[in-house]
Amino acid sequence: AQRVTQPEKLLSVFKGAPVELKCNYSYSGSPELFWYVQYSRQRLQLLLRHISRESIKGFTADLNKGETSFHLKKPFAQEEDSAMYYCALSGLEDQGGKLIFGQGTELSVKP
Amino acid sequence: DGGITQSPKYLFRKEGQNVTLSCEQNLNHDAMYWYRQDPGQGLRLIYYSQIVNDFQKGDIAEGYSVSREKKESFPLTVTSAQKNPTAFYLCASSWRGGGTEAFFGQGTRLTVV
């Protein structure tokens, strides 16, 4: 069964501190992992996807198939990073089928 | 202006009544999704559709129904069988194929009074 787990409901850090939002997944096939972000009063939007191997707004995430993890990291947090972050998974075999989200982690960056 | 539109933004329903939430997209996407967002529970998949006239149940389909008669439309009906319908509902769409980005609507907040 597909499952995404984000163990932290709330993560609070000070500006300039490193950030790591944890995501673990369960999927028997070839997973496609994403991070979505929801800023206050805005729509949920894609932050990054593992297949692109890109850095967006200073955030990176590496897929670790051995540990079934896709943690989101940023070396120096900014106040504007405060938002709700969701890890999501779909299967490459699903052809646009099930897209499953985790419970979400609220990131609060304090000045 | 391309995008995905949900209406209405706020909806009130009396207990025992069915209510339909609208979701329209002009992105020419094949796949569409409905999620329910509750505090502390993240986004839970209700139904999804990969193509017109076809849809599949998600993880919490009980008490909900959908139709996909047109590519651009994927309405969700919350029936009286849904025991706890008060929630924030999100619709999304994407291209078919793994690894594609999902685009979300602004959501509909349903309150049962």
Side-chain angles (χ1 to χ4, degrees):
Chain A
Q2 281 176 252
R3 187 178 297 117
V4 177
T5 303
Q6 293 178 250
E8 304 137 330
K9 285 189 177 180
L10 173 65
L11 186 62
S12 185
V13 302
F14 285 102
K15 177 182 175 181
V19 170
E20 182 179 48
L21 284 75
K22 291 182 166 47
C23 172
N24 289 91
Y25 68 90
S26 173
Y27 185 66
S28 57
S30 300
E32 179 62 30
L33 276 297
F34 309 82
W35 277 98
Y36 282 80
V37 61
Q38 190 170 29
Y39 300 104
S40 179
R41 303 184 188 281
Q42 294 188 27
R43 299 185 186 211
L44 194 63
Q45 59 187 289
L46 179 68
L47 178 63
L48 54 79
R49 70 193 93 183
H50 97 266
I51 201 167
S52 303
R53 302 187 66 82
E54 56 196 347
S55 173
I56 303 293
K57 298 184 179 182
F59 285 97
T60 59
D62 290 318
L63 178 61
N64 186 323
K65 292 187 177 181
E67 296 182 359
T68 60
S69 67
F70 188 57
H71 303 327
L72 183 68
K73 300 178 183 179
K74 185 169 183 176
F76 308 103
Q78 303 299 314
E79 289 180 68
E80 55 265 30
D81 295 328
S82 295
M84 196 74 184
Y85 291 81
Y86 292 95
C87 183
L89 175 151
S90 70
L92 289 173
E93 299 87 357
D94 284 345
Q95 294 296 301
K98 288 185 80 171
L99 178 62
I100 300 297
F101 285 79
Q103 301 92 325
T105 297
E106 182 180 356
L107 175 63
S108 174
V109 182
K110 299 178 179 179
Chain B
D1 185 23
I4 181 164
T5 303
Q6 291 184 241
S7 61
K9 192 172 181 181
Y10 299 97
L11 191 55
F12 295 88
R13 185 195 94 174
K14 292 183 180 180
E15 278 194 43
Q17 289 182 337
N18 292 355
V19 63
T20 297
L21 283 61
S22 171
C23 179
E24 303 276 334
Q25 54 97 3
N26 60 5
L27 300 168
N28 202 32
H29 287 163
D30 289 303
M32 295 188 75
Y33 313 82
W34 274 106
Y35 295 91
R36 173 177 170 144
Q37 189 177 28
D38 296 286
Q41 299 195 56
L43 276 70
R44 292 183 291 169
L45 183 63
I46 304 172
Y47 269 97
Y48 63 104
S49 168
Q50 299 181 57
I51 198 167
V52 175
N53 292 322
D54 188 42
F55 49 82
Q56 287 78 40
K57 291 182 179 180
D59 297 323
I60 57 165
E62 185 175 351
Y64 299 98
S65 66
V66 293
S67 63
R68 188 83 190 277
E69 297 177 2
K70 299 186 294 182
K71 188 176 185 178
E72 58 270 22
S73 179
F74 192 41
L76 173 74
T77 296
V78 184
T79 75
S80 57
Q82 170 50 233
K83 298 305 179 188
N84 185 22
T86 295
F88 191 64
Y89 292 87
L90 281 171
C91 180
S93 69
S94 73
W95 296 107
R96 290 188 70 191
T100 58
E101 177 181 358
F103 291 82
F104 283 82
Q106 289 192 305
T108 293
R109 181 163 298 281
L110 172 65
T111 303
V112 174
V113 296

